[in-house]
Amino acid sequence: MGVRNQQNTNLGQRVQVVHYFSGTYNSTSFVGPKLSEMGITGKKLCTYPAIIATVNTNVGNFYVESAIRNSDDQITVIFNRAYSGSFILALSFLIENA
Protein backbone atom coordinates (compact mmCIF):
# COMPACT_ATOMS: atom_id res chain seq x y z
CA MET A 1 0.00 0.00 0.00
CA GLY A 2 1.36 3.39 -0.86
CA VAL A 3 0.33 7.00 -0.83
CA ARG A 4 -0.69 7.95 -4.35
CA ASN A 5 -1.15 11.69 -4.00
CA GLN A 6 -1.71 14.42 -1.49
CA GLN A 7 -3.59 17.68 -1.92
CA ASN A 8 -4.26 20.47 0.54
CA THR A 9 -7.87 21.56 1.09
CA ASN A 10 -9.46 24.11 3.42
CA LEU A 11 -10.39 21.22 5.75
CA GLY A 12 -7.06 19.42 5.79
CA GLN A 13 -4.71 17.51 3.55
CA ARG A 14 -6.32 14.92 1.27
CA VAL A 15 -4.52 11.60 0.90
CA GLN A 16 -5.30 8.75 -1.49
CA VAL A 17 -4.02 5.24 -0.86
CA VAL A 18 -4.37 2.22 -3.17
CA HIS A 19 -3.94 -1.42 -2.11
CA TYR A 20 -4.06 -4.58 -4.25
CA PHE A 21 -5.37 -7.87 -2.81
CA SER A 22 -4.97 -11.28 -4.42
CA GLY A 23 -6.01 -14.69 -3.13
CA THR A 24 -8.51 -15.52 -0.43
CA TYR A 25 -9.43 -12.73 1.93
CA ASN A 26 -11.34 -14.47 4.73
CA SER A 27 -12.53 -11.37 6.51
CA THR A 28 -15.24 -8.79 6.01
CA SER A 29 -13.02 -5.99 7.34
CA PHE A 30 -9.63 -4.55 6.48
CA VAL A 31 -7.65 -2.60 9.06
CA GLY A 32 -5.51 -0.20 7.11
CA PRO A 33 -1.91 0.63 7.91
CA LYS A 34 -1.13 3.41 10.34
CA LEU A 35 -0.28 6.78 8.83
CA SER A 36 3.32 6.39 10.05
CA GLU A 37 3.56 3.06 8.17
CA MET A 38 2.64 4.98 5.01
CA GLY A 39 5.45 7.47 5.62
CA ILE A 40 3.09 10.19 6.90
CA THR A 41 4.48 11.73 10.09
CA GLY A 42 3.36 14.65 12.24
CA LYS A 43 -0.22 14.22 10.99
CA LYS A 44 -3.44 12.60 12.21
CA LEU A 45 -6.82 11.78 10.72
CA CYS A 46 -9.26 14.66 10.96
CA THR A 47 -12.03 14.15 13.52
CA TYR A 48 -14.37 13.64 10.57
CA PRO A 49 -11.93 12.49 7.85
CA ALA A 50 -14.53 12.21 5.03
CA ILE A 51 -13.37 8.71 4.08
CA ILE A 52 -14.15 7.53 0.57
CA ALA A 53 -13.47 3.82 0.04
CA THR A 54 -14.00 2.08 -3.28
CA VAL A 55 -13.29 -1.44 -4.47
CA ASN A 56 -12.61 -2.41 -8.09
CA THR A 57 -13.21 -6.03 -9.11
CA ASN A 58 -14.94 -7.98 -11.85
CA VAL A 59 -16.85 -10.14 -9.32
CA GLY A 60 -20.40 -9.04 -8.58
CA ASN A 61 -21.97 -8.54 -5.16
CA PHE A 62 -18.76 -7.42 -3.44
CA TYR A 63 -18.59 -3.86 -2.20
CA VAL A 64 -17.54 -1.55 0.62
CA GLU A 65 -20.27 -1.18 3.25
CA SER A 66 -18.51 1.44 5.35
CA ALA A 67 -15.18 2.87 6.44
CA ILE A 68 -14.52 4.10 9.96
CA ARG A 69 -11.86 6.07 11.80
CA ASN A 70 -10.33 3.65 14.36
CA SER A 71 -8.00 6.14 15.95
CA ASP A 72 -6.00 9.24 15.12
CA ASP A 73 -3.92 7.27 12.62
CA GLN A 74 -5.87 4.27 11.33
CA ILE A 75 -8.96 3.42 9.23
CA THR A 76 -10.97 0.18 9.01
CA VAL A 77 -12.90 -0.71 5.86
CA ILE A 78 -15.96 -2.99 6.16
CA PHE A 79 -16.94 -5.14 3.16
CA ASN A 80 -20.32 -6.79 2.59
CA ARG A 81 -18.73 -10.29 2.64
CA ALA A 82 -15.47 -12.23 2.65
CA TYR A 83 -13.83 -12.54 -0.74
CA SER A 84 -11.72 -14.91 -2.80
CA GLY A 85 -10.01 -13.54 -5.88
CA SER A 86 -8.34 -10.22 -6.50
CA PHE A 87 -9.41 -6.63 -6.08
CA ILE A 88 -8.11 -3.12 -5.72
CA LEU A 89 -9.11 -1.00 -2.71
CA ALA A 90 -8.76 2.78 -2.94
CA LEU A 91 -9.07 5.04 0.10
CA SER A 92 -9.24 8.80 0.12
CA PHE A 93 -9.37 10.73 3.39
CA LEU A 94 -8.41 13.95 5.15
CA ILE A 95 -5.51 14.43 7.58
CA GLU A 96 -4.37 17.43 9.62
CA ASN A 97 -1.42 18.42 11.77
CA ALA A 98 -1.07 16.29 14.89
PDB file of all heavy atoms in Angstrom, residues 3-29:
ATOM      1  N   VAL A   3       1.040   5.740  -0.659  1.00  0.00           N
ATOM      2  CA  VAL A   3       0.334   7.004  -0.832  1.00  0.00           C
ATOM      3  C   VAL A   3       0.449   7.395  -2.291  1.00  0.00           C
ATOM      4  O   VAL A   3       1.537   7.442  -2.855  1.00  0.00           O
ATOM      5  CB  VAL A   3       0.949   8.092   0.069  1.00  0.00           C
ATOM      6  CG1 VAL A   3       0.302   9.430  -0.195  1.00  0.00           C
ATOM      7  CG2 VAL A   3       0.818   7.701   1.527  1.00  0.00           C
ATOM      8  N   ARG A   4      -0.671   7.628  -2.931  1.00  0.00           N
ATOM      9  CA  ARG A   4      -0.689   7.945  -4.352  1.00  0.00           C
ATOM     10  C   ARG A   4      -0.564   9.448  -4.600  1.00  0.00           C
ATOM     11  O   ARG A   4       0.127   9.857  -5.492  1.00  0.00           O
ATOM     12  CB  ARG A   4      -1.980   7.417  -4.988  1.00  0.00           C
ATOM     13  CG  ARG A   4      -2.147   5.931  -4.866  1.00  0.00           C
ATOM     14  CD  ARG A   4      -1.192   5.205  -5.706  1.00  0.00           C
ATOM     15  NE  ARG A   4      -1.599   5.359  -7.083  1.00  0.00           N
ATOM     16  CZ  ARG A   4      -0.952   4.897  -8.107  1.00  0.00           C
ATOM     17  NH1 ARG A   4       0.139   4.235  -7.932  1.00  0.00           N
ATOM     18  NH2 ARG A   4      -1.386   5.071  -9.319  1.00  0.00           N
ATOM     19  N   ASN A   5      -1.279  10.255  -3.840  1.00  0.00           N
ATOM     20  CA  ASN A   5      -1.150  11.691  -4.004  1.00  0.00           C
ATOM     21  C   ASN A   5      -1.642  12.391  -2.757  1.00  0.00           C
ATOM     22  O   ASN A   5      -2.326  11.811  -1.934  1.00  0.00           O
ATOM     23  CB  ASN A   5      -1.881  12.204  -5.254  1.00  0.00           C
ATOM     24  CG  ASN A   5      -3.375  11.973  -5.185  1.00  0.00           C
ATOM     25  OD1 ASN A   5      -3.984  12.119  -4.135  1.00  0.00           O
ATOM     26  ND2 ASN A   5      -3.979  11.611  -6.292  1.00  0.00           N
ATOM     27  N   GLN A   6      -1.268  13.620  -2.621  1.00  0.00           N
ATOM     28  CA  GLN A   6      -1.711  14.418  -1.492  1.00  0.00           C
ATOM     29  C   GLN A   6      -2.065  15.800  -2.019  1.00  0.00           C
ATOM     30  O   GLN A   6      -1.396  16.330  -2.891  1.00  0.00           O
ATOM     31  CB  GLN A   6      -0.607  14.539  -0.438  1.00  0.00           C
ATOM     32  CG  GLN A   6      -0.210  13.207   0.168  1.00  0.00           C
ATOM     33  CD  GLN A   6       0.855  13.360   1.229  1.00  0.00           C
ATOM     34  OE1 GLN A   6       0.931  14.380   1.876  1.00  0.00           O
ATOM     35  NE2 GLN A   6       1.661  12.344   1.404  1.00  0.00           N
ATOM     36  N   GLN A   7      -3.147  16.367  -1.479  1.00  0.00           N
ATOM     37  CA  GLN A   7      -3.586  17.677  -1.922  1.00  0.00           C
ATOM     38  C   GLN A   7      -4.141  18.425  -0.721  1.00  0.00           C
ATOM     39  O   GLN A   7      -4.907  17.874   0.064  1.00  0.00           O
ATOM     40  CB  GLN A   7      -4.665  17.527  -2.987  1.00  0.00           C
ATOM     41  CG  GLN A   7      -5.252  18.822  -3.451  1.00  0.00           C
ATOM     42  CD  GLN A   7      -6.350  18.610  -4.487  1.00  0.00           C
ATOM     43  OE1 GLN A   7      -6.519  17.532  -5.016  1.00  0.00           O
ATOM     44  NE2 GLN A   7      -7.096  19.658  -4.754  1.00  0.00           N
ATOM     45  N   ASN A   8      -3.751  19.666  -0.552  1.00  0.00           N
ATOM     46  CA  ASN A   8      -4.264  20.473   0.543  1.00  0.00           C
ATOM     47  C   ASN A   8      -5.645  21.004   0.215  1.00  0.00           C
ATOM     48  O   ASN A   8      -5.913  21.408  -0.908  1.00  0.00           O
ATOM     49  CB  ASN A   8      -3.324  21.642   0.847  1.00  0.00           C
ATOM     50  CG  ASN A   8      -2.020  21.176   1.445  1.00  0.00           C
ATOM     51  OD1 ASN A   8      -1.991  20.211   2.203  1.00  0.00           O
ATOM     52  ND2 ASN A   8      -0.944  21.842   1.101  1.00  0.00           N
ATOM     53  N   THR A   9      -6.547  20.969   1.214  1.00  0.00           N
ATOM     54  CA  THR A   9      -7.874  21.557   1.088  1.00  0.00           C
ATOM     55  C   THR A   9      -8.062  22.504   2.257  1.00  0.00           C
ATOM     56  O   THR A   9      -7.231  22.573   3.143  1.00  0.00           O
ATOM     57  CB  THR A   9      -8.984  20.486   1.130  1.00  0.00           C
ATOM     58  OG1 THR A   9      -9.041  19.954   2.452  1.00  0.00           O
ATOM     59  CG2 THR A   9      -8.723  19.365   0.143  1.00  0.00           C
ATOM     60  N   ASN A  10      -9.177  23.230   2.292  1.00  0.00           N
ATOM     61  CA  ASN A  10      -9.459  24.106   3.419  1.00  0.00           C
ATOM     62  C   ASN A  10      -9.687  23.309   4.706  1.00  0.00           C
ATOM     63  O   ASN A  10      -9.529  23.825   5.799  1.00  0.00           O
ATOM     64  CB  ASN A  10     -10.687  24.971   3.137  1.00  0.00           C
ATOM     65  CG  ASN A  10     -10.412  26.017   2.079  1.00  0.00           C
ATOM     66  OD1 ASN A  10      -9.268  26.406   1.876  1.00  0.00           O
ATOM     67  ND2 ASN A  10     -11.442  26.452   1.393  1.00  0.00           N
ATOM     68  N   LEU A  11     -10.097  22.053   4.586  1.00  0.00           N
ATOM     69  CA  LEU A  11     -10.395  21.225   5.755  1.00  0.00           C
ATOM     70  C   LEU A  11      -9.203  20.420   6.233  1.00  0.00           C
ATOM     71  O   LEU A  11      -9.195  19.930   7.344  1.00  0.00           O
ATOM     72  CB  LEU A  11     -11.547  20.265   5.421  1.00  0.00           C
ATOM     73  CG  LEU A  11     -12.848  20.926   5.002  1.00  0.00           C
ATOM     74  CD1 LEU A  11     -13.847  19.879   4.546  1.00  0.00           C
ATOM     75  CD2 LEU A  11     -13.401  21.746   6.149  1.00  0.00           C
ATOM     76  N   GLY A  12      -8.207  20.237   5.430  1.00  0.00           N
ATOM     77  CA  GLY A  12      -7.057  19.421   5.785  1.00  0.00           C
ATOM     78  C   GLY A  12      -6.340  18.987   4.523  1.00  0.00           C
ATOM     79  O   GLY A  12      -6.594  19.487   3.438  1.00  0.00           O
ATOM     80  N   GLN A  13      -5.463  18.027   4.674  1.00  0.00           N
ATOM     81  CA  GLN A  13      -4.707  17.505   3.545  1.00  0.00           C
ATOM     82  C   GLN A  13      -5.362  16.209   3.092  1.00  0.00           C
ATOM     83  O   GLN A  13      -5.576  15.300   3.883  1.00  0.00           O
ATOM     84  CB  GLN A  13      -3.262  17.260   3.969  1.00  0.00           C
ATOM     85  CG  GLN A  13      -2.367  16.832   2.869  1.00  0.00           C
ATOM     86  CD  GLN A  13      -0.935  16.657   3.356  1.00  0.00           C
ATOM     87  OE1 GLN A  13      -0.671  16.592   4.545  1.00  0.00           O
ATOM     88  NE2 GLN A  13      -0.008  16.577   2.427  1.00  0.00           N
ATOM     89  N   ARG A  14      -5.683  16.111   1.808  1.00  0.00           N
ATOM     90  CA  ARG A  14      -6.325  14.916   1.265  1.00  0.00           C
ATOM     91  C   ARG A  14      -5.254  13.919   0.841  1.00  0.00           C
ATOM     92  O   ARG A  14      -4.281  14.269   0.191  1.00  0.00           O
ATOM     93  CB  ARG A  14      -7.198  15.262   0.065  1.00  0.00           C
ATOM     94  CG  ARG A  14      -7.943  14.055  -0.509  1.00  0.00           C
ATOM     95  CD  ARG A  14      -8.853  14.477  -1.641  1.00  0.00           C
ATOM     96  NE  ARG A  14      -8.121  15.088  -2.719  1.00  0.00           N
ATOM     97  CZ  ARG A  14      -7.766  14.464  -3.842  1.00  0.00           C
ATOM     98  NH1 ARG A  14      -8.084  13.211  -4.035  1.00  0.00           N
ATOM     99  NH2 ARG A  14      -7.102  15.102  -4.777  1.00  0.00           N
ATOM    100  N   VAL A  15      -5.457  12.666   1.236  1.00  0.00           N
ATOM    101  CA  VAL A  15      -4.517  11.596   0.903  1.00  0.00           C
ATOM    102  C   VAL A  15      -5.282  10.476   0.207  1.00  0.00           C
ATOM    103  O   VAL A  15      -6.391  10.140   0.610  1.00  0.00           O
ATOM    104  CB  VAL A  15      -3.846  11.037   2.179  1.00  0.00           C
ATOM    105  CG1 VAL A  15      -2.935   9.871   1.856  1.00  0.00           C
ATOM    106  CG2 VAL A  15      -3.082  12.129   2.909  1.00  0.00           C
ATOM    107  N   GLN A  16      -4.703   9.914  -0.831  1.00  0.00           N
ATOM    108  CA  GLN A  16      -5.302   8.753  -1.491  1.00  0.00           C
ATOM    109  C   GLN A  16      -4.317   7.606  -1.416  1.00  0.00           C
ATOM    110  O   GLN A  16      -3.133   7.761  -1.703  1.00  0.00           O
ATOM    111  CB  GLN A  16      -5.636   9.047  -2.946  1.00  0.00           C
ATOM    112  CG  GLN A  16      -6.314   7.869  -3.618  1.00  0.00           C
ATOM    113  CD  GLN A  16      -6.724   8.155  -5.052  1.00  0.00           C
ATOM    114  OE1 GLN A  16      -6.499   9.241  -5.559  1.00  0.00           O
ATOM    115  NE2 GLN A  16      -7.314   7.189  -5.692  1.00  0.00           N
ATOM    116  N   VAL A  17      -4.834   6.440  -1.011  1.00  0.00           N
ATOM    117  CA  VAL A  17      -4.020   5.238  -0.859  1.00  0.00           C
ATOM    118  C   VAL A  17      -4.670   4.123  -1.669  1.00  0.00           C
ATOM    119  O   VAL A  17      -5.890   3.976  -1.659  1.00  0.00           O
ATOM    120  CB  VAL A  17      -3.947   4.829   0.629  1.00  0.00           C
ATOM    121  CG1 VAL A  17      -3.143   3.566   0.805  1.00  0.00           C
ATOM    122  CG2 VAL A  17      -3.370   5.961   1.463  1.00  0.00           C
ATOM    123  N   VAL A  18      -3.868   3.335  -2.370  1.00  0.00           N
ATOM    124  CA  VAL A  18      -4.372   2.223  -3.169  1.00  0.00           C
ATOM    125  C   VAL A  18      -3.688   0.940  -2.710  1.00  0.00           C
ATOM    126  O   VAL A  18      -2.476   0.922  -2.484  1.00  0.00           O
ATOM    127  CB  VAL A  18      -4.097   2.458  -4.671  1.00  0.00           C
ATOM    128  CG1 VAL A  18      -4.559   1.272  -5.505  1.00  0.00           C
ATOM    129  CG2 VAL A  18      -4.773   3.739  -5.137  1.00  0.00           C
ATOM    130  N   HIS A  19      -4.478  -0.129  -2.544  1.00  0.00           N
ATOM    131  CA  HIS A  19      -3.943  -1.424  -2.107  1.00  0.00           C
ATOM    132  C   HIS A  19      -4.508  -2.528  -2.991  1.00  0.00           C
ATOM    133  O   HIS A  19      -5.702  -2.536  -3.277  1.00  0.00           O
ATOM    134  CB  HIS A  19      -4.306  -1.683  -0.647  1.00  0.00           C
ATOM    135  CG  HIS A  19      -3.623  -2.874  -0.066  1.00  0.00           C
ATOM    136  ND1 HIS A  19      -2.302  -2.843   0.292  1.00  0.00           N
ATOM    137  CD2 HIS A  19      -4.064  -4.115   0.226  1.00  0.00           C
ATOM    138  CE1 HIS A  19      -1.960  -4.030   0.774  1.00  0.00           C
ATOM    139  NE2 HIS A  19      -3.014  -4.821   0.738  1.00  0.00           N
ATOM    140  N   TYR A  20      -3.647  -3.458  -3.405  1.00  0.00           N
ATOM    141  CA  TYR A  20      -4.056  -4.580  -4.251  1.00  0.00           C
ATOM    142  C   TYR A  20      -4.105  -5.855  -3.413  1.00  0.00           C
ATOM    143  O   TYR A  20      -3.164  -6.161  -2.684  1.00  0.00           O
ATOM    144  CB  TYR A  20      -3.069  -4.753  -5.403  1.00  0.00           C
ATOM    145  CG  TYR A  20      -3.327  -5.977  -6.244  1.00  0.00           C
ATOM    146  CD1 TYR A  20      -4.391  -6.008  -7.138  1.00  0.00           C
ATOM    147  CD2 TYR A  20      -2.528  -7.104  -6.135  1.00  0.00           C
ATOM    148  CE1 TYR A  20      -4.642  -7.126  -7.913  1.00  0.00           C
ATOM    149  CE2 TYR A  20      -2.771  -8.230  -6.905  1.00  0.00           C
ATOM    150  CZ  TYR A  20      -3.818  -8.236  -7.789  1.00  0.00           C
ATOM    151  OH  TYR A  20      -4.071  -9.352  -8.545  1.00  0.00           O
ATOM    152  N   PHE A  21      -5.209  -6.584  -3.491  1.00  0.00           N
ATOM    153  CA  PHE A  21      -5.366  -7.868  -2.811  1.00  0.00           C
ATOM    154  C   PHE A  21      -5.448  -8.962  -3.861  1.00  0.00           C
ATOM    155  O   PHE A  21      -6.080  -8.791  -4.892  1.00  0.00           O
ATOM    156  CB  PHE A  21      -6.674  -7.915  -2.010  1.00  0.00           C
ATOM    157  CG  PHE A  21      -6.727  -6.987  -0.845  1.00  0.00           C
ATOM    158  CD1 PHE A  21      -7.164  -5.686  -1.008  1.00  0.00           C
ATOM    159  CD2 PHE A  21      -6.360  -7.416   0.424  1.00  0.00           C
ATOM    160  CE1 PHE A  21      -7.235  -4.824   0.069  1.00  0.00           C
ATOM    161  CE2 PHE A  21      -6.421  -6.553   1.499  1.00  0.00           C
ATOM    162  CZ  PHE A  21      -6.863  -5.257   1.332  1.00  0.00           C
ATOM    163  N   SER A  22      -4.850 -10.122  -3.551  1.00  0.00           N
ATOM    164  CA  SER A  22      -4.972 -11.278  -4.425  1.00  0.00           C
ATOM    165  C   SER A  22      -4.999 -12.532  -3.572  1.00  0.00           C
ATOM    166  O   SER A  22      -4.240 -12.648  -2.612  1.00  0.00           O
ATOM    167  CB  SER A  22      -3.794 -11.328  -5.404  1.00  0.00           C
ATOM    168  OG  SER A  22      -3.943 -12.433  -6.269  1.00  0.00           O
ATOM    169  N   GLY A  23      -5.884 -13.453  -3.901  1.00  0.00           N
ATOM    170  CA  GLY A  23      -6.014 -14.688  -3.134  1.00  0.00           C
ATOM    171  C   GLY A  23      -7.303 -14.684  -2.346  1.00  0.00           C
ATOM    172  O   GLY A  23      -8.256 -14.005  -2.688  1.00  0.00           O
ATOM    173  N   THR A  24      -7.321 -15.439  -1.256  1.00  0.00           N
ATOM    174  CA  THR A  24      -8.511 -15.523  -0.430  1.00  0.00           C
ATOM    175  C   THR A  24      -8.403 -14.540   0.717  1.00  0.00           C
ATOM    176  O   THR A  24      -7.419 -14.544   1.460  1.00  0.00           O
ATOM    177  CB  THR A  24      -8.693 -16.951   0.128  1.00  0.00           C
ATOM    178  OG1 THR A  24      -8.811 -17.836  -0.981  1.00  0.00           O
ATOM    179  CG2 THR A  24      -9.932 -17.052   0.988  1.00  0.00           C
ATOM    180  N   TYR A  25      -9.383 -13.695   0.842  1.00  0.00           N
ATOM    181  CA  TYR A  25      -9.432 -12.729   1.931  1.00  0.00           C
ATOM    182  C   TYR A  25     -10.609 -13.133   2.808  1.00  0.00           C
ATOM    183  O   TYR A  25     -11.752 -12.876   2.488  1.00  0.00           O
ATOM    184  CB  TYR A  25      -9.582 -11.308   1.384  1.00  0.00           C
ATOM    185  CG  TYR A  25      -9.338 -10.251   2.425  1.00  0.00           C
ATOM    186  CD1 TYR A  25      -8.059 -10.049   2.931  1.00  0.00           C
ATOM    187  CD2 TYR A  25     -10.370  -9.487   2.923  1.00  0.00           C
ATOM    188  CE1 TYR A  25      -7.820  -9.094   3.902  1.00  0.00           C
ATOM    189  CE2 TYR A  25     -10.139  -8.529   3.901  1.00  0.00           C
ATOM    190  CZ  TYR A  25      -8.864  -8.339   4.376  1.00  0.00           C
ATOM    191  OH  TYR A  25      -8.633  -7.399   5.338  1.00  0.00           O
ATOM    192  N   ASN A  26     -10.318 -13.847   3.901  1.00  0.00           N
ATOM    193  CA  ASN A  26     -11.344 -14.472   4.729  1.00  0.00           C
ATOM    194  C   ASN A  26     -11.907 -13.556   5.801  1.00  0.00           C
ATOM    195  O   ASN A  26     -12.234 -14.008   6.890  1.00  0.00           O
ATOM    196  CB  ASN A  26     -10.790 -15.746   5.383  1.00  0.00           C
ATOM    197  CG  ASN A  26     -10.567 -16.837   4.381  1.00  0.00           C
ATOM    198  OD1 ASN A  26     -11.379 -17.019   3.480  1.00  0.00           O
ATOM    199  ND2 ASN A  26      -9.470 -17.543   4.496  1.00  0.00           N
ATOM    200  N   SER A  27     -12.007 -12.307   5.531  1.00  0.00           N
ATOM    201  CA  SER A  27     -12.529 -11.369   6.514  1.00  0.00           C
ATOM    202  C   SER A  27     -13.455 -10.382   5.822  1.00  0.00           C
ATOM    203  O   SER A  27     -13.330 -10.143   4.629  1.00  0.00           O
ATOM    204  CB  SER A  27     -11.380 -10.626   7.194  1.00  0.00           C
ATOM    205  OG  SER A  27     -11.878  -9.693   8.114  1.00  0.00           O
ATOM    206  N   THR A  28     -14.376  -9.823   6.581  1.00  0.00           N
ATOM    207  CA  THR A  28     -15.236  -8.790   6.015  1.00  0.00           C
ATOM    208  C   THR A  28     -14.732  -7.397   6.368  1.00  0.00           C
ATOM    209  O   THR A  28     -15.376  -6.409   6.048  1.00  0.00           O
ATOM    210  CB  THR A  28     -16.682  -8.944   6.523  1.00  0.00           C
ATOM    211  OG1 THR A  28     -16.673  -8.871   7.941  1.00  0.00           O
ATOM    212  CG2 THR A  28     -17.281 -10.255   6.055  1.00  0.00           C
ATOM    213  N   SER A  29     -13.573  -7.304   7.028  1.00  0.00           N
ATOM    214  CA  SER A  29     -13.019  -5.992   7.336  1.00  0.00           C
ATOM    215  C   SER A  29     -11.529  -5.962   7.023  1.00  0.00           C
ATOM    216  O   SER A  29     -10.855  -6.979   6.998  1.00  0.00           O
ATOM    217  CB  SER A  29     -13.255  -5.632   8.804  1.00  0.00           C
ATOM    218  OG  SER A  29     -12.559  -6.510   9.640  1.00  0.00           O
TER     219      SER A  29
END
